[in-house]
Amino acid sequence: MTKSAALTHVKAKSLNKGKYADGQGLWLVKARKDAGRWMLRLLVKGKRREMGLGRYPDVSIAEARENARQARTILRSGLDPIKERQRQRTGRLSVRDAVHGCFSARQAELKQDGKAGRWLSPLEVHVLPRVGDMCIEDIDQHDLVRVLQSIWHDKSDTARKALNRLNLTLRHAAALGLDVDLQAVMKARALLGKQRHEVIHIPSLPYHEVPAFYRWLCTKSMTAPLALRFLILTVARTSEIRFATFDEIKGNVWHLPSKRTKTGREHRIPLSEETQVVIAQARHMDDQELLFPTYRGKPMSDAAMSRFMEREGYTARPHGFRATFRTWVEEATDTPFEVKESALGHQVDDGVVRAYQRSDRLEKRQHLMEQWARFLTSPVS
């Protein structure tokens, strides 16, 4: 390595491959005689850093010295010149672009890559119309309060989701090297205060009333009551029932693919003898794909079963039968906790336990669902 007090245009041009000092930390690093790069050595917070200042000979000695002078000026002001340059290159990122960037980075974690739009929905409806064009670095707790205070109590769940996703967006922007306030969401929560929100559970029938209700359903010939019988027998979710196909039924097990479950994991549901009767009644033609299609062959409306119960004067709703089943299992059987929760498609094994315990307890659940079916079809006093 050759050193000199200062470089000149002629001297730099004549130098061969190597590193050559110009002074005050500025170096010319030549890869070959006619090409190289400028490099500035800095001490940032006690650590030696190297900052590139452009290619040689595209960047002249005079330009390299001026760029080095500006970098040293930034360093004397207490900032990291390398980070400052990165921030300037990133530009003024808007809240809207930051949100969509964060969403793109997290898509793999979301069900069906977030195509349903539920992750973005709270932000697109309540946040982006008001602050979407602002720079993400300018967002503070007062902006968040201004945007969310109107729904903080009335739409508490939506407001909570919006804040959580804004927090993720701020962290994403920080990872880009932007100067954002990572405590803005925490401060906004402190200013907004506790939410006045009362949790209202989906209405359900007491389990001792369900056998009579089920027998009454058996007297109805429409699609909605037949689907309701299948829902009650399998304690599956409404969306899982609406899109159920005959291809998913293999013997006495309903194989729900991961893309159609809330947990994003495949779920096997054992089918009792009574459930098999319902499946047989559901088939109207040989080429039928859906178990419970409309007369046009399309999936049922997401409100079809609810509207049926409402028209018949019931306040309970289809999803409430999952709570009915869970209460019956708790009070009328000695079923282990893991089996009860697995029957509802809940994930009960985490971490190391899940790594070693790989059974979905299908045989035990088969016995439980037969018990449930016998209870539903038992004589009504």
Side-chain angles (χ1 to χ4, degrees), residues 170-200:
L170 288 169
R171 293 184 179 279
H172 179 77
L176 292 174
L178 300 179
D179 184 20
V180 295
D181 184 359
L182 290 176
Q183 295 185 328
V185 169
M186 180 188 69
K187 296 172 186 174
R189 283 199 177 100
L191 293 174
L192 288 164
K194 185 177 179 180
Q195 292 177 316
R196 291 191 297 272
H197 174 62
E198 180 182 353
V199 177
I200 300 176

Short mmCIF file of all heavy atoms in Angstrom, two decimals, residues 170-200:
data_model
loop_
_atom_site.label_atom_id
_atom_site.label_comp_id
_atom_site.label_asym_id
_atom_site.label_seq_id
_atom_site.Cartn_x
_atom_site.Cartn_y
_atom_site.Cartn_z
N LEU A 170 -44.90 1.37 11.38
CA LEU A 170 -43.82 2.22 11.88
C LEU A 170 -42.53 1.42 12.06
O LEU A 170 -41.44 1.91 11.76
CB LEU A 170 -44.24 2.87 13.20
CG LEU A 170 -45.31 3.97 13.09
CD1 LEU A 170 -45.84 4.34 14.47
CD2 LEU A 170 -44.74 5.19 12.39
N ARG A 171 -42.66 0.19 12.52
CA ARG A 171 -41.47 -0.66 12.68
C ARG A 171 -40.87 -1.02 11.32
O ARG A 171 -39.65 -1.11 11.16
CB ARG A 171 -41.82 -1.92 13.47
CG ARG A 171 -42.20 -1.61 14.92
CD ARG A 171 -42.44 -2.88 15.72
NE ARG A 171 -42.78 -2.55 17.10
CZ ARG A 171 -41.89 -2.25 18.04
NH1 ARG A 171 -40.60 -2.25 17.74
NH2 ARG A 171 -42.26 -1.95 19.26
N HIS A 172 -41.75 -1.23 10.35
CA HIS A 172 -41.27 -1.52 8.99
C HIS A 172 -40.51 -0.31 8.44
O HIS A 172 -39.45 -0.47 7.82
CB HIS A 172 -42.48 -1.84 8.09
CG HIS A 172 -42.12 -2.12 6.67
ND1 HIS A 172 -41.59 -3.32 6.26
CD2 HIS A 172 -42.21 -1.34 5.56
CE1 HIS A 172 -41.38 -3.28 4.96
NE2 HIS A 172 -41.74 -2.10 4.51
N ALA A 173 -41.04 0.89 8.67
CA ALA A 173 -40.38 2.11 8.20
C ALA A 173 -39.04 2.30 8.90
O ALA A 173 -38.05 2.75 8.29
CB ALA A 173 -41.28 3.32 8.43
N ALA A 174 -38.99 1.96 10.19
CA ALA A 174 -37.72 2.08 10.93
C ALA A 174 -36.68 1.13 10.35
O ALA A 174 -35.49 1.47 10.26
CB ALA A 174 -37.95 1.78 12.40
N ALA A 175 -37.12 -0.06 9.93
CA ALA A 175 -36.19 -1.02 9.34
C ALA A 175 -35.65 -0.52 8.00
O ALA A 175 -34.56 -0.91 7.58
CB ALA A 175 -36.89 -2.37 9.14
N LEU A 176 -36.41 0.37 7.35
CA LEU A 176 -35.94 0.98 6.10
C LEU A 176 -34.91 2.08 6.36
O LEU A 176 -34.33 2.62 5.41
CB LEU A 176 -37.13 1.57 5.33
CG LEU A 176 -38.14 0.57 4.74
CD1 LEU A 176 -39.31 1.32 4.14
CD2 LEU A 176 -37.48 -0.31 3.69
N GLY A 177 -34.71 2.41 7.63
CA GLY A 177 -33.75 3.44 7.97
C GLY A 177 -34.37 4.82 8.15
O GLY A 177 -33.66 5.82 8.25
N LEU A 178 -35.72 4.88 8.20
CA LEU A 178 -36.40 6.16 8.35
C LEU A 178 -36.49 6.56 9.82
O LEU A 178 -36.56 5.71 10.71
CB LEU A 178 -37.80 6.08 7.73
CG LEU A 178 -37.85 5.75 6.23
CD1 LEU A 178 -39.28 5.67 5.76
CD2 LEU A 178 -37.07 6.78 5.42
N ASP A 179 -36.54 7.85 10.05
CA ASP A 179 -36.57 8.39 11.41
C ASP A 179 -38.03 8.54 11.86
O ASP A 179 -38.63 9.60 11.76
CB ASP A 179 -35.87 9.75 11.45
CG ASP A 179 -35.79 10.32 12.86
OD1 ASP A 179 -35.93 9.54 13.82
OD2 ASP A 179 -35.60 11.55 12.98
N VAL A 180 -38.60 7.44 12.32
CA VAL A 180 -40.00 7.43 12.76
C VAL A 180 -40.06 7.31 14.27
O VAL A 180 -39.11 6.87 14.92
CB VAL A 180 -40.79 6.27 12.11
CG1 VAL A 180 -40.89 6.45 10.61
CG2 VAL A 180 -40.13 4.93 12.44
N ASP A 181 -41.22 7.70 14.83
CA ASP A 181 -41.42 7.60 16.28
C ASP A 181 -42.02 6.24 16.59
O ASP A 181 -43.22 6.02 16.41
CB ASP A 181 -42.35 8.73 16.75
CG ASP A 181 -42.53 8.73 18.26
OD1 ASP A 181 -41.93 7.85 18.93
OD2 ASP A 181 -43.25 9.60 18.77
N LEU A 182 -41.20 5.33 17.07
CA LEU A 182 -41.68 3.98 17.35
C LEU A 182 -42.58 3.91 18.57
O LEU A 182 -43.23 2.89 18.81
CB LEU A 182 -40.48 3.04 17.56
CG LEU A 182 -39.66 2.72 16.30
CD1 LEU A 182 -38.44 1.88 16.66
CD2 LEU A 182 -40.51 1.99 15.27
N GLN A 183 -42.65 4.99 19.34
CA GLN A 183 -43.51 5.02 20.53
C GLN A 183 -44.82 5.77 20.26
O GLN A 183 -45.62 5.96 21.18
CB GLN A 183 -42.78 5.69 21.68
CG GLN A 183 -41.55 4.90 22.17
CD GLN A 183 -40.93 5.53 23.39
OE1 GLN A 183 -40.96 6.74 23.56
NE2 GLN A 183 -40.36 4.69 24.25
N ALA A 184 -45.05 6.14 19.01
CA ALA A 184 -46.26 6.93 18.69
C ALA A 184 -47.54 6.18 19.06
O ALA A 184 -48.48 6.78 19.60
CB ALA A 184 -46.25 7.30 17.21
N VAL A 185 -47.60 4.88 18.76
CA VAL A 185 -48.81 4.10 19.05
C VAL A 185 -49.02 3.98 20.55
O VAL A 185 -50.14 4.13 21.05
CB VAL A 185 -48.71 2.71 18.39
CG1 VAL A 185 -49.82 1.79 18.90
CG2 VAL A 185 -48.78 2.83 16.88
N MET A 186 -47.95 3.72 21.30
CA MET A 186 -48.05 3.62 22.77
C MET A 186 -48.55 4.94 23.36
O MET A 186 -49.43 4.96 24.23
CB MET A 186 -46.70 3.25 23.35
CG MET A 186 -46.70 3.13 24.87
SD MET A 186 -45.04 2.92 25.54
CE MET A 186 -44.34 4.53 25.20
N LYS A 187 -48.03 6.06 22.86
CA LYS A 187 -48.45 7.37 23.35
C LYS A 187 -49.91 7.64 22.98
O LYS A 187 -50.67 8.22 23.77
CB LYS A 187 -47.56 8.46 22.76
CG LYS A 187 -46.10 8.37 23.18
CD LYS A 187 -45.27 9.37 22.38
CE LYS A 187 -43.78 9.23 22.67
NZ LYS A 187 -42.97 10.12 21.78
N ALA A 188 -50.30 7.22 21.77
CA ALA A 188 -51.69 7.43 21.34
C ALA A 188 -52.65 6.66 22.22
O ALA A 188 -53.72 7.17 22.60
CB ALA A 188 -51.84 7.01 19.88
N ARG A 189 -52.29 5.43 22.59
CA ARG A 189 -53.15 4.64 23.48
C ARG A 189 -53.30 5.33 24.84
O ARG A 189 -54.38 5.33 25.43
CB ARG A 189 -52.56 3.24 23.68
CG ARG A 189 -52.78 2.30 22.52
CD ARG A 189 -52.60 0.85 22.95
NE ARG A 189 -52.89 -0.07 21.85
CZ ARG A 189 -51.97 -0.66 21.09
NH1 ARG A 189 -50.69 -0.41 21.33
NH2 ARG A 189 -52.31 -1.47 20.12
N ALA A 190 -52.22 5.93 25.32
CA ALA A 190 -52.28 6.63 26.61
C ALA A 190 -53.21 7.83 26.51
O ALA A 190 -53.96 8.13 27.46
CB ALA A 190 -50.88 7.07 27.02
N LEU A 191 -53.20 8.52 25.39
CA LEU A 191 -54.06 9.70 25.21
C LEU A 191 -55.52 9.30 24.98
O LEU A 191 -56.43 10.00 25.42
CB LEU A 191 -53.56 10.54 24.03
CG LEU A 191 -52.19 11.22 24.23
CD1 LEU A 191 -51.76 11.90 22.94
CD2 LEU A 191 -52.25 12.23 25.37
N LEU A 192 -55.75 8.20 24.28
CA LEU A 192 -57.12 7.77 23.97
C LEU A 192 -57.81 7.16 25.19
O LEU A 192 -59.03 7.22 25.33
CB LEU A 192 -57.10 6.76 22.83
CG LEU A 192 -56.79 7.32 21.44
CD1 LEU A 192 -56.42 6.20 20.48
CD2 LEU A 192 -57.96 8.12 20.91
N GLY A 193 -57.04 6.57 26.09
CA GLY A 193 -57.60 6.00 27.31
C GLY A 193 -58.23 4.63 27.09
O GLY A 193 -58.18 4.06 26.00
N LYS A 194 -58.85 4.12 28.14
CA LYS A 194 -59.47 2.80 28.09
C LYS A 194 -60.73 2.84 27.25
O LYS A 194 -61.50 3.80 27.30
CB LYS A 194 -59.81 2.33 29.52
CG LYS A 194 -60.34 0.91 29.57
CD LYS A 194 -60.60 0.48 31.00
CE LYS A 194 -61.15 -0.95 31.02
NZ LYS A 194 -61.40 -1.41 32.41
N GLN A 195 -60.94 1.79 26.48
CA GLN A 195 -62.12 1.74 25.62
C GLN A 195 -63.36 1.35 26.42
O GLN A 195 -63.31 0.47 27.27
CB GLN A 195 -61.90 0.73 24.49
CG GLN A 195 -60.84 1.16 23.48
CD GLN A 195 -60.60 0.11 22.42
OE1 GLN A 195 -60.50 -1.07 22.73
NE2 GLN A 195 -60.50 0.54 21.18
N ARG A 196 -64.48 2.03 26.13
CA ARG A 196 -65.76 1.66 26.72
C ARG A 196 -66.41 0.65 25.78
O ARG A 196 -67.17 1.00 24.87
CB ARG A 196 -66.66 2.88 26.88
CG ARG A 196 -66.20 3.87 27.93
CD ARG A 196 -67.27 4.90 28.22
NE ARG A 196 -67.58 5.70 27.04
CZ ARG A 196 -66.95 6.82 26.71
NH1 ARG A 196 -65.98 7.28 27.48
NH2 ARG A 196 -67.28 7.49 25.62
N HIS A 197 -66.08 -0.60 25.99
CA HIS A 197 -66.54 -1.63 25.07
C HIS A 197 -67.02 -2.84 25.85
O HIS A 197 -66.31 -3.37 26.70
CB HIS A 197 -65.40 -2.04 24.13
CG HIS A 197 -65.75 -3.20 23.24
ND1 HIS A 197 -66.77 -3.16 22.32
CD2 HIS A 197 -65.20 -4.45 23.15
CE1 HIS A 197 -66.84 -4.32 21.69
NE2 HIS A 197 -65.91 -5.12 22.18
N GLU A 198 -68.24 -3.26 25.54
CA GLU A 198 -68.81 -4.44 26.18
C GLU A 198 -68.81 -5.59 25.19
O GLU A 198 -69.35 -5.49 24.10
CB GLU A 198 -70.25 -4.16 26.63
CG GLU A 198 -70.92 -5.33 27.31
CD GLU A 198 -72.37 -5.03 27.69
OE1 GLU A 198 -72.79 -3.87 27.55
OE2 GLU A 198 -73.05 -5.97 28.13
N VAL A 199 -68.15 -6.68 25.57
CA VAL A 199 -68.09 -7.85 24.70
C VAL A 199 -69.45 -8.53 24.66
O VAL A 199 -70.02 -8.88 25.70
CB VAL A 199 -67.01 -8.84 25.19
CG1 VAL A 199 -67.01 -10.09 24.31
CG2 VAL A 199 -65.65 -8.18 25.18
N ILE A 200 -70.00 -8.67 23.46
CA ILE A 200 -71.31 -9.32 23.28
C ILE A 200 -71.08 -10.63 22.55
O ILE A 200 -70.62 -10.65 21.40
CB ILE A 200 -72.27 -8.42 22.48
CG1 ILE A 200 -72.47 -7.09 23.22
CG2 ILE A 200 -73.60 -9.13 22.26
CD1 ILE A 200 -73.33 -6.10 22.47
#
